[in-house]
Amino acid sequence: MDDLLWLDQIQPAARSEVGEKAFYLSFLVQRGYPVIPGFTIPAPALREFLETIDWIDPLFADLANSSLHLDVNNPRQLQLVAKAIRQGILNAALPPKWQAIVSALPSYLEAPALILRPSLALPNGVKISGLLQAHICNCTNEAITSTVKRVWAELFRARSLLYWRRNNIELQNVNLAILVQPLLNCSASGVLHAHSNIWEVQATQGLGIALVKGEVLPDYYRVQPESGEVLTQALGNKTLVYSLEELPSAQLVENKYEEIPLLKTYLLDEEQQKHYALTEELLKKIILLTQRLGAELSGEFTLEWIVSTEDSDSSTAQVYITQILLAEEKGILIEPEDKIEPLNLPSESLIVSPPTILRGIGASGGRALAPAETIANFSHNYETILANKVLVVKSITPDWLPLIKQAVGIVAEQGGMTCHAAIIARELGIPSVVGVKNATNLIESGQPILVDGDRGEICLLNKQQIGFPDNIKGFGQETMESVSADREERSRTGNSSENEYPQYREVKIASQPISYPLPQFPIATQLMVNLSQPSTVERAASLPVDGVGLLRSELMMLEILEGQHPNKWLSQGKKQRLIELISENVYHFASAFAPRPIFYRSLDWRSHEFLSLASFSPRENNPMLGMRGTFSYMQDPSLFDVELAALVRVYQLGYTNVRLILPFVRTVEEFSFCQKRVADVGLLNHSGFQLWIVAEVPSVLFLLPDYVKAGVRGISIGSNDLTQLLLGVDRDRAEMATVFDERHPAVMTAMFQLIQTANKIGIPCAICGQAPVQHPELIDCLVRWGITSISVSLDAVERTYSYIARAEQRLLLEAARKEINN
């Protein structure tokens, strides 16, 4: 075991062998700070390993000592090279010396699970965080061997090769060590950002995986550094807990880490979610530890920490530091007689950590790194906006669709999870954060920023730090292509990030969405998808869905309207052309999904979202409750008639799988008016045609039997507007996000009543709002109550399938147990 370097024994001369991450922790260990014991597999081990591989491709024969020149602007070549190298590493055997060392580790460590973190040392003092991801594994010979190779292979992902090449870093100068530590079970974990004038603490229950993956909203504290006084605190939304121990008081929901049976995921009930992850005593311990460390540091820093569960008593529970990130390395004060060299960080270092962080609401998942395009007012000249940038705006509306589709990310000061701009971003897979206060004042055009739609955070960088060339448009394109190539490689090779444990606050070039393997058995509850963009049809149709539960017409039309309100088309005598264009778009969806049904929702214009369209009606004081839905059809049925004519044309083309669903129906009279016009064009004569309504106005709760008598053949619960109207909360106001909760008893009762009444009457009842996606624990209730189908956004199909399957299995199990007991 002499080849391993333990944290409490690392000397300054070994810094390049152990990497910066391990070196910083060793500094803390040798200063007496509580750090989880661990060791490093030094960087030379990787070179020894690479030299033993019998490479099929001669290009890699001297990989350990080569610069591996390749055209990183060719994403296909980049992808193939990365795949070949990684496969060679994962398939090769460790050198005999390291095989013997790894074989001895399980008995030597006596830990149930390990976390293996890459620890880099780069030439010329360059620093980078988050490019290489950490991995966790069981403490067995086979698991450790496999995981060591997986960490080494991180060096050769497509995104990594792109990074080395773009920054003129040759592979032989990259030192990659592996920091190995026990993965301790913990009652709480989190991160502390120590700024000069304020400290910010984020905390969640259990292991920090849920926080890293953006699956929980952590508890948040602001602390005054000198006094340690907690100035403000806010309870987060912590629904999931990862644990190595059984939690009898919580519901086991899934095991996302199949290779680590000990690691489980639990769902907290509503009462458990009301508790802070930290007691006052534990928070005080973390503050005191930071004050002690701050006395030795002259700059800003970030700590990642855990609270060990070895002792459940808060007074004796141990707080451990798992990582330290320094804003300026020169901040560590080291006396001359110390054996550790001063940590001199050049000013041209790559990424200063922690960066400036802005926070908002994560509206669309994923991460994007690109220059900002800040639009401070609506008079901005959109033609000057280059593609592949992050749009930073006060608010963004659906009529900006052409602009949205060019962006790689979106940051908005206003908006909520259910605003239509967020809906479009999720469907197109564009990372988005809304509700970011003063974003247009704090972010300058051209400034590189990292948008994290999972955490709802914005990292502000600068050109010198991130290495942007002058042609930032070209940089954005190449970066996105390399990210895409890397994701394709991971998908094909099966090397997903299920066992990867990325570090808090480490800047990522790209992220891999959590993968939810689909069960091998069918589900009884129909799973459908919400769509609006023709560009997503092919991908959506290939998924295990029963059809399109909601085709949003107004969003679908934006591209064909050429910036003109449809009323303008009619006034210019272009009615027939408009009918043809709409029918062609609907035909595109119907043909891709046939014979699966398509529920086309007719137009639901909301004036504040389409201000740029010419000939639009005057602004309304309250557009959410204004001239929208079927009431607007009664005032002027011309556009509704155009839609009906388009649907008739689709039926004439032979696609009879299209259904019509009416939005925002306030009264039975409104429905009857629309039904008559549907009958007049002959749609009701087709046996497969169905006329539904969206159940989103509370009056439907009380009048559903009357609607059915009038001819309604099914309902789909629009949980977004239903929640808004029941709770009196503007769904588009970021300031009200904390009270916009589909789990509110009033909303839950309304959904239960709608489902029960529909079942009693004998009509299908679906749900098409954001509730099942935002709060997947609701799926258990919906399935139990008898929901017919659940329709979700494109990005949520796979995980919703799994949640439905588990909910149905639980019902079957309960029924079987009840039968046995009787």
Side-chain angles (χ1 to χ4, degrees):
M1 307 296 282
D2 294 338
D3 293 282
L4 303 177
L5 299 176
W6 291 85
L7 288 177
D8 60 354
Q9 300 172 352
I10 294 174
Q11 297 300 311
R15 180 171 181 172
S16 63
E17 293 186 21
V18 301
E20 302 300 310
K21 192 173 297 183
F23 185 69
Y24 294 153
L25 285 182
S26 73
F27 166 80
L28 297 181
V29 170
Q30 295 174 43
R31 289 278 181 165
Y33 288 95
V35 175
I36 299 172
F39 60 84
T40 61
I41 299 175
L46 172 57
R47 304 191 184 283
E48 295 175 21
F49 171 63
L50 293 176
E51 290 172 352
T52 65
I53 299 177
D54 185 15
W55 296 102
I56 298 176
D57 191 330
L59 174 67
F60 312 134
D62 193 31
L63 186 62
N65 300 300
S66 74
S67 57
L68 192 65
H69 293 287
L70 72 159
D71 183 7
V72 296
N73 296 323
N74 183 336
R76 179 63 177 168
Q77 183 194 84
L78 182 64
Q79 169 191 339
L80 292 175
V81 169
K83 178 180 178 181
I85 296 176
R86 286 169 52 76
Q87 282 300 116
I89 291 174
L90 297 175
N91 294 335
L94 292 180
K97 178 182 75 173
W98 287 102
Q99 283 184 1
I101 292 175
V102 169
S103 298
L105 287 179
S107 58
Y108 196 76
L109 289 171
E110 297 182 353
L114 303 175
I115 179 166
L116 281 67
R117 294 185 172 99
S119 184
L120 276 171
L122 298 177
N124 301 321
V126 172
K127 298 290 185 293
I128 186 170
S129 283
L131 180 64
L132 312 184
Q133 295 183 339
H135 296 250
I136 54 179
C137 67
N138 284 336
C139 193
T140 64
N141 180 19
E142 295 79 8
I144 298 173
T145 300
S146 173
T147 308
V148 166
K149 291 189 291 184
R150 284 167 63 87
V151 176
W152 280 339
E154 287 284 329
L155 196 64
F156 304 98
R157 288 198 180 278
R159 64 176 181 230
S160 303
L161 294 177
L162 169 73
Y163 181 81
W164 312 135
R165 187 72 184 90
R166 291 198 65 86
N167 290 278
N168 298 316
I169 299 174
E170 297 188 346
L171 282 171
Q172 67 264 33
N173 295 325
V174 178
N175 293 306
L176 174 59
I178 301 178
L179 172 60
V180 182
Q181 293 173 294
L183 184 65
L184 300 184
N185 207 39
C186 55
S187 60
S189 55
V191 59
L192 184 148
H193 304 291
H195 306 294
S196 58
N197 59 344
I198 203 72
W199 290 349
E200 296 177 297
V201 183
Q202 297 179 18
T204 191
Q205 297 180 13
L207 296 168
I209 301 174
L211 180 58
V212 170
K213 290 185 174 295
E215 296 174 330
V216 297
L217 181 66
D219 300 334
Y220 177 74
Y221 306 86
R222 295 177 75 251
V223 179
Q224 208 284 327
E226 289 77 16
S227 66
E229 178 187 359
V230 179
L231 302 178
T232 61
Q233 66 182 60
L235 181 66
N237 184 13
K238 308 180 297 300
T239 57
L240 290 175
V241 171
Y242 288 83
S243 178
L244 294 173
E245 297 177 349
E246 182 178 354
L247 300 179
S249 60
Q251 179 184 1
L252 179 65
V253 291
E254 65 179 304
N255 181 8
K256 299 177 185 175
Y257 296 82
E258 294 181 358
E259 297 179 12
I260 311 171
L262 292 174
L263 187 58
K264 300 292 192 302
T265 310
Y266 293 89
L267 182 67
L268 300 180
D269 60 33
E270 189 173 345
E271 183 60 34
Q272 292 169 322
Q273 295 174 32
K274 295 178 181 178
H275 299 289
Y276 281 90
L278 294 174
T279 63
E280 290 185 14
E281 194 162 5
L282 286 174
L283 178 59
K284 185 177 181 180
K285 281 190 175 185
I286 294 171
I287 293 172
L288 290 174
L289 176 62
T290 308
Q291 286 177 325
R292 175 189 165 195
L293 185 56
E296 296 194 61
L297 303 180
S298 60
E300 299 181 355
F301 58 91
T302 294
L303 288 182
E304 297 171 16
W305 51 266
I306 67 168
V307 176
S308 172
T309 57
E310 295 176 357
D311 194 329
S312 58
D313 186 355
S314 295
S315 61
T316 57
Q318 178 65 60
V319 176
Y320 288 102
I321 298 172
T322 59
Q323 187 173 189
I324 181 172
L325 303 171
L326 306 175
E328 292 188 7
E329 195 172 339
K330 63 185 179 183
I332 291 184
L333 304 178
I334 300 176
E335 300 300 327
E337 62 270 23
D338 284 332
K339 296 182 179 181
I340 300 179
E341 296 175 347
L343 309 179
N344 298 315
L345 180 64
S347 59
E348 67 271 19
S349 62
L350 176 70
I351 294 182
V352 177
S353 184
T356 302
I357 303 292
L358 304 180
R359 293 180 176 82
I361 302 169
S364 179
R367 297 175 179 84
L369 173 64
E373 179 70 40
T374 300
I375 302 175
N377 56 67
F378 290 102
S379 63
H380 193 95
N381 183 5
Y382 302 144
E383 294 181 358
T384 66
I385 297 174
L386 300 176
N388 304 307
K389 290 190 177 183
V390 175
L391 285 180
V392 181
V393 297
K394 289 187 179 297
S395 64
I396 194 162
T397 56
D399 52 343
W400 289 22
L401 179 61
L403 199 60
I404 296 173
K405 298 183 79 167
Q406 292 187 72
V408 298
I410 297 172
V411 177
E413 294 181 357
Q414 301 170 21
M417 279 293 295
T418 63
C419 69
H420 277 158
I423 290 169
I424 293 175
R426 283 193 291 272
E427 184 174 342
L428 296 176
I430 301 174
S432 304
V433 179
V434 299
V436 184
K437 294 183 178 179
N438 298 319
T440 56
N441 294 324
L442 298 174
I443 303 174
E444 298 179 357
S445 286
Q447 180 179 14
I449 62 175
L450 178 73
V451 179
D452 190 329
D454 298 309
R455 298 187 190 179
E457 294 181 347
I458 318 298
C459 299
L460 307 187
L461 308 171
N462 62 63
K463 291 184 181 180
Q464 290 71 34
Q465 290 173 322
I466 205 66
F468 275 23
D470 292 334
N471 181 4
I472 48 183
K473 178 182 179 182
F475 172 85
Q477 180 64 34
E478 292 162 6
T479 299
M480 289 302 111
E481 288 177 351
S482 69
V483 168
S484 176
D486 182 53
R487 287 183 173 175
E488 290 179 12
E489 173 207 347
R490 294 161 75 112
S491 176
R492 269 194 291 274
T493 60
N495 295 325
S496 66
S497 60
E498 289 183 354
N499 284 349
E500 297 171 4
Y501 184 35
Q503 304 303 300
Y504 299 110
R505 201 59 58 218
E506 289 193 343
V507 178
K508 300 181 186 306
I509 301 301
S511 67
Q512 176 75 1
I514 304 170
S515 177
Y516 296 79
L518 299 183
Q520 299 302 310
F521 48 85
I523 55 177
T525 306
Q526 287 185 331
L527 173 60
M528 308 187 86
V529 63
N530 301 332
L531 294 178
S532 67
Q533 301 305 302
S535 60
T536 63
V537 170
E538 184 176 349
R539 179 161 59 104
S542 66
L543 293 174
V545 294
D546 295 295
V548 178
L550 182 64
L551 178 54
R552 294 183 172 93
S553 58
E554 61 279 352
L555 303 184
M556 180 197 74
M557 286 188 195
L558 285 173
E559 285 197 87
I560 68 175
L561 292 176
E562 300 176 356
Q564 302 291 329
H565 189 273
N567 282 336
K568 185 80 175 245
W569 286 65
L570 300 185
S571 65
Q572 294 176 344
K574 298 179 181 179
K575 177 179 179 180
Q576 191 57 38
R577 180 55 182 158
L578 184 57
I579 291 173
E580 292 173 359
L581 290 173
I582 295 174
S583 63
E584 287 172 8
N585 273 264
V586 177
Y587 169 86
H588 185 55
F589 286 92
S591 60
F593 279 88
R596 292 173 289 179
I598 305 291
F599 283 87
Y600 174 90
R601 188 190 68 185
S602 52
L603 289 171
D604 186 20
W605 294 112
R606 299 191 303 193
S607 58
H608 66 302
E609 294 186 319
F610 303 95
L611 293 176
S612 70
L613 298 182
S615 301
F616 201 76
S617 57
R619 294 195 182 192
E620 300 178 271
N621 292 329
N622 193 343
M624 283 290 191
L625 300 178
M627 195 67 66
R628 57 176 296 201
T630 52
F631 178 79
S632 67
Y633 305 169
M634 295 181 69
Q635 305 306 304
D636 181 1
S638 55
L639 287 181
F640 184 55
D641 290 343
V642 166
E643 292 184 276
L644 295 181
L647 296 186
V648 169
R649 192 166 184 268
V650 174
Y651 267 74
Q652 290 171 346
L653 293 172
Y655 287 94
T656 58
N657 57 324
V658 180
R659 318 285 187 256
L660 177 59
I661 185 166
L662 302 174
F664 215 76
V665 184
R666 295 173 168 98
T667 67
V668 177
E669 290 73 23
E670 290 178 12
F671 170 78
S672 297
F673 173 85
C674 296
Q675 184 190 44
K676 183 180 184 304
R677 303 192 85 83
V678 172
D680 289 343
V681 298
L683 282 171
L684 293 182
N685 297 331
H686 294 277
S687 59
F689 181 82
Q690 295 179 13
L691 183 58
W692 287 33
I693 63 172
V694 183
E696 52 196 339
V697 179
S699 60
V700 178
L701 283 169
F702 309 101
L703 299 175
L704 184 54
D706 297 329
Y707 279 104
V708 174
K709 289 178 183 178
V712 168
R713 291 295 170 258
I715 62 171
S716 186
I717 299 172
S719 60
N720 299 343
D721 269 326
L722 183 64
T723 302
Q724 173 177 240
L725 297 177
L726 283 172
L727 301 182
V729 176
D730 188 339
R731 56 186 265 199
D732 287 353
R733 291 286 297 274
E735 303 91 330
M736 306 190 77
T738 55
V739 290
F740 184 91
D741 190 354
E742 296 93 334
R743 299 166 300 175
H744 189 283
V747 183
M748 294 284 285
T749 301
M751 290 192 292
F752 171 76
Q753 180 177 327
L754 285 168
I755 296 171
Q756 293 291 297
T757 304
N759 289 342
K760 183 178 179 181
I761 297 174
I763 62 169
C765 178
I767 186 169
C768 60
Q770 187 68 10
V773 177
Q774 190 70 11
H775 307 290
E777 65 271 21
L778 294 181
I779 294 175
D780 261 343
C781 298
L782 296 171
V783 171
R784 185 179 300 276
W785 295 340
I787 198 78
T788 306
S789 67
I790 298 176
S791 191
V792 297
S793 53
L794 186 55
D795 62 308
V797 167
E798 293 188 14
R799 64 176 179 268
T800 304
Y801 192 116
S802 297
Y803 280 114
I804 292 174
R806 283 191 296 273
E808 292 180 349
Q809 283 181 300
R810 276 191 281 271
L811 280 179
L812 291 173
L813 184 59
E814 290 175 9
R817 287 173 174 168
K818 186 175 182 180
E819 183 69 23
I820 293 173
N821 292 334
N822 291 338

